[in-house]
Amino acid sequence: MADQPTKGRGAAVQAGAQQAAAPGQARFVWDDTNMRSVYANVANVASTREEIVLLFGMNQAWHAGQKDIKIQLMDRIVMSPFAAKRLAMLLNQVLQDYENRYGQLEVTPAPRPETPSVQ
């Protein structure tokens, strides 16, 4: 799993954000100086009334026919339902743009594992 700092790009992102803002409007400044990149090939979601929990990890089934498949959970992101809804809308738009450019993604539904309870 890659864990790579992305130092040094914050100024470029800030400059782009400053140019995109119209006069009199709020400007978003994206500070990525403490950002890290990780890779996940497995995601799961759990929820309560107050929050949505995104779980990310790695499927470590290296051999076909394994009886037990170990999923190493690495990252958890906790969001309000409102922020999760905005994320879902953004992901849907990005995927639609991707498919318009590169073609339809054919994905078979993965079996749903038991959802862990959120504390």
Side-chain angles (χ1 to χ4, degrees):
M1 179 155 339
D3 185 0
Q4 304 168 354
T6 56
K7 306 263 185 210
R9 292 191 346 228
V13 173
Q14 289 174 0
Q18 292 171 0
Q19 293 171 359
Q25 288 186 337
R27 181 172 44 125
F28 294 96
V29 179
W30 300 88
D31 181 3
D32 65 354
T33 55
N34 292 316
M35 185 172 64
R36 65 187 187 118
S37 297
V38 297
Y39 176 79
N41 63 8
V42 173
N44 198 5
V45 179
S47 67
T48 67
R49 181 176 168 82
E50 293 83 22
E51 61 191 20
I52 307 293
V53 179
L54 307 174
L55 304 169
F56 296 96
M58 290 285 294
N59 176 351
Q60 299 182 8
W62 310 125
H63 307 290
Q66 282 181 247
K67 183 175 179 173
D68 294 327
I69 298 174
K70 182 177 181 180
I71 306 295
Q72 180 71 46
L73 293 176
M74 304 300 289
D75 295 289
R76 173 178 34 224
I77 298 174
V78 182
M79 309 175 88
S80 73
F82 297 100
K85 180 77 174 200
R86 290 189 298 271
L87 175 61
M89 292 168 57
L90 180 60
L91 286 173
N92 282 330
Q93 183 62 52
V94 168
L95 288 169
Q96 184 178 11
D97 292 346
Y98 179 94
E99 289 182 330
N100 288 341
R101 255 186 237 135
Y102 303 110
Q104 189 73 27
L105 292 169
E106 298 298 329
V107 179
T108 58
R112 292 187 64 172
E114 289 186 30
T115 303
S117 63
V118 176
Q119 301 295 326

